[in-house]
Amino acid sequence: MKIRTQARRESILDAAAGLFQEMGYERASMNELAKRLGGSKATLYSYFSSKEEIFTAVIRAYATQHLTEAAEELATPVAEKLPLDTILMRFGERMLSVLTSDNHALSVYRMVVGEAGHSDIGMLFYESGPREGVEKLSVLMAGAQARGELRAGDSRLRALQFLALLTAEVEVRIYQRHAEPLSVARVHEMTRGAVELFLAGAAPREP
């Protein structure tokens, strides 16, 4: 029996990422992937049970792992002791650092946008990262409302509003053919602007 290795799994994901970006999710096949890897479909199925599972793994590896890690940090004991604006800054800078400098992640985002209208790729993408970020942010917003740091309201809507502000200046990069990386200082500036505007709009109103 052949032993599965992490290196082999990573080589499969690397080849799959290129295949999906070149052919799209619907046209890509396990046969073509096996051909490019120089192996058999049996080998692929020993690592991944379906094309959908491979695609989900590609999404996590190349486009949403940073979201998952940033979301997990929101609920750590250290984060719970920090001011709300500091927590939002940390989350925002980690998220934007990928959207402004990682071409692999941008390529996956572009592919999802292009395929979402005629397959389940959009929801596969959402379930593989963004959903957890929204949920963890919602919990953070609910706690901030309970402490009187934010005005009472729908905590999930607050999370979505913050994310919209955070990505307002970088969303266009998904549609650009060649998006130049942004500096750390620029990412900090954009994140600070989003955090300040969000807190100004969601702050408790004076009696």
Side-chain angles (χ1 to χ4, degrees):
M1 183 175 67
K2 293 184 179 181
I3 299 175
R4 295 192 298 174
T5 66
Q6 182 62 27
R8 182 59 173 168
R9 185 179 189 278
E10 290 175 358
S11 70
I12 292 173
L13 291 181
D14 188 52
L19 179 63
F20 287 133
Q21 289 167 31
E22 178 185 330
M23 302 185 68
Y25 177 74
E26 288 297 304
R27 292 176 56 213
S29 68
M30 297 289 270
N31 280 332
E32 179 61 23
L33 181 56
K35 179 181 177 182
R36 294 190 179 196
L37 286 165
S40 66
K41 283 202 300 182
T43 299
L44 290 180
Y45 283 118
S46 72
Y47 285 85
F48 302 97
S49 64
S50 65
K51 182 174 74 170
E52 178 180 309
E53 185 178 339
I54 292 179
F55 180 71
T56 300
V58 167
I59 289 175
R60 288 190 178 278
Y62 290 92
T64 65
Q65 184 60 37
H66 68 290
L67 289 177
T68 300
E69 293 171 353
E72 290 173 349
E73 288 182 0
L74 293 174
T76 62
V78 173
E80 291 174 354
K81 298 177 182 179
L82 296 173
L84 180 60
D85 64 333
T86 301
I87 299 174
L88 294 178
M89 282 293 299
R90 288 188 173 187
F91 175 87
E93 287 184 309
R94 185 155 193 176
M95 179 176 174
L96 289 187
S97 66
V98 172
L99 292 177
T100 59
S101 63
D102 190 329
N103 286 328
H104 287 298
L106 282 176
S107 294
V108 173
Y109 275 74
R110 293 184 186 111
M111 178 179 58
V112 170
V113 171
E115 294 267 347
H118 48 85
S119 75
D120 295 328
I121 191 173
M123 290 311 297
L124 284 174
F125 176 82
Y126 181 76
E127 293 295 332
S128 297
R131 180 181 61 81
E132 183 176 3
V134 172
E135 290 178 351
K136 293 290 178 63
L137 273 174
S138 297
V139 172
L140 178 71
M141 299 300 179
Q145 290 176 33
R147 294 189 297 272
E149 297 174 297
L150 296 178
R151 190 166 64 253
D154 185 329
S155 59
R156 187 173 188 278
L157 178 58
R158 291 281 188 270
L160 293 173
Q161 289 169 335
F162 174 64
L163 289 172
L165 288 171
L166 190 60
T167 58
E169 294 185 74
V170 299
E171 193 173 50
V172 68
R173 296 174 66 83
I174 296 174
Y175 312 107
Q176 294 173 335
R177 187 173 183 180
H178 300 294
E180 292 297 325
L182 300 183
S183 67
V184 173
R186 180 67 181 121
V187 169
H188 179 81
E189 180 184 3
M190 290 189 298
T191 306
R192 172 56 64 189
V195 170
E196 290 179 350
L197 188 57
F198 172 76
L199 293 178
R205 294 192 176 99
E206 293 296 329

